[in-house]
Amino acid sequence: SQQGEEDPQALSIQEGENATMNCSYKTSINNLQWYRQNSGRGLVHLILIRSNEREKHSGRLRVTLDTSKKSSSLLITASRAADTASYFCASSGTGGSYIPTFGRGTSLIVHP
Amino acid sequence: EAGVTQFPSHSVIEKGQTVTLRCDPISGHDNLYWYRRVMGKEIKFLLHFVKESKQDESGMPNNRFLAERTGGTYSTLKVQPAELEDSGVYFCASSQDRTEAFFGQGTRLTVV
């Protein structure tokens, strides 16, 4: 089954605004990771949050995890044009469904 | 410690040609995964190795794709013959104990 469904699928904001992306998953997870992909390029690891954590910060990034709702959010504060990219969450499940599974991603456009 | 490395970073080939992508996992990681993202779409799982054995190859699109991991170290993904729709970014990931997967930067494949 598909894990890590992000929403919105596309987000367009102005530089300086905050961007919030959400990710939902279906089964129990061990951890959840957020990645960024600039157009046609490699994956950049942003942050990992474990199932026993509720919030993590890294620079302008804030990730929350709500295991009761099986959801996570990524907040980018004070966005910049350079933040324009696709953002993905990847969940690693427990037991037999371990394989990290990506969602469809959120395409973020930050207008200068 | 070296991360997951992929070669080449970018490959441009003509339709009908053969291309081989390589992934060097983190040393000691038994689990190795291949994924790909076709332009604008989601990141899809291709297959999973445990050491040299294919644990799950349910995501391999067709028999033009062949993955190997001889000796349980690095892995190759060969596309023969390449088609236009194979263009995209191919990602590799490795993990040690199925709790955290580490991704490479990807190989961008362009078939013209």
Side-chain angles (χ1 to χ4, degrees):
Chain A
S1 61
Q2 180 69 34
Q3 299 241 73
E5 298 287 343
E6 294 95 337
D7 77 87
Q9 290 191 14
L11 183 59
S12 181
I13 59 175
Q14 294 296 128
E15 215 168 23
E17 294 181 337
N18 295 342
T20 299
M21 289 159 269
N22 302 297
C23 167
S24 61
Y25 55 92
K26 296 179 181 177
T27 61
S28 296
I29 62 169
N30 191 293
N31 62 68
L32 187 144
Q33 301 182 65
W34 283 91
Y35 292 86
R36 181 184 72 213
Q37 186 198 19
N38 288 20
S39 179
R41 297 185 181 181
L43 277 176
V44 175
H45 181 263
L46 297 176
I47 200 164
L48 178 147
I49 187 164
R50 301 188 188 281
S51 60
N52 61 353
E53 298 175 312
R54 292 296 167 261
E55 187 171 314
K56 284 190 83 168
H57 296 255
S58 177
R60 293 184 296 112
L61 306 180
R62 183 175 79 107
V63 169
T64 62
L65 179 65
D66 187 335
T67 53
S68 66
K69 295 181 180 179
K70 291 185 169 57
S71 67
S72 174
S73 68
L74 170 67
L75 168 67
I76 304 174
T77 60
S79 64
R80 305 167 182 167
D83 295 330
T84 295
S86 292
Y87 291 81
F88 296 89
C89 68
S91 55
S92 294
T94 58
S97 61
Y98 164 68
I99 295 172
T101 306
F102 285 88
R104 298 179 185 279
T106 293
S107 176
L108 173 66
I109 298 175
V110 182
H111 299 279
Chain B
E1 179 182 357
V4 177
T5 53
Q6 293 186 244
F7 306 95
S9 58
H10 189 191
S11 178
V12 181
I13 62 170
E14 293 184 350
K15 176 183 173 180
Q17 289 186 323
T18 297
V19 63
T20 300
L21 314 180
R22 172 170 168 151
C23 169
D24 285 357
I26 292 173
S27 179
H29 283 194
D30 289 341
N31 297 280
L32 187 149
Y33 311 86
W34 282 99
Y35 294 79
R36 75 170 179 177
R37 186 188 189 203
V38 172
M39 189 61 65
K41 298 190 177 180
E42 66 263 40
I43 299 175
K44 283 194 170 181
F45 165 79
L46 296 179
L47 88 159
H48 170 209
F49 282 100
V50 176
K51 296 185 180 179
E52 67 274 12
S53 299
K54 293 176 185 175
Q55 188 79 7
D56 182 345
E57 52 182 330
S58 61
M60 295 288 265
N62 52 61
N63 59 10
R64 295 186 293 103
F65 289 76
L66 175 64
E68 295 181 321
R69 193 183 181 195
T70 306
T73 55
Y74 70 90
S75 174
T76 58
L77 179 65
K78 180 188 290 186
V79 185
Q80 179 182 29
E83 298 290 344
L84 298 178
E85 63 265 26
D86 300 331
S87 294
V89 183
Y90 290 76
F91 299 104
C92 173
S94 72
S95 69
Q96 183 177 34
D97 57 6
R98 299 191 172 197
T99 58
E100 185 173 346
F102 298 84
F103 283 81
Q105 288 299 301
T107 293
R108 183 179 178 187
L109 175 64
T110 304
V111 183
V112 297

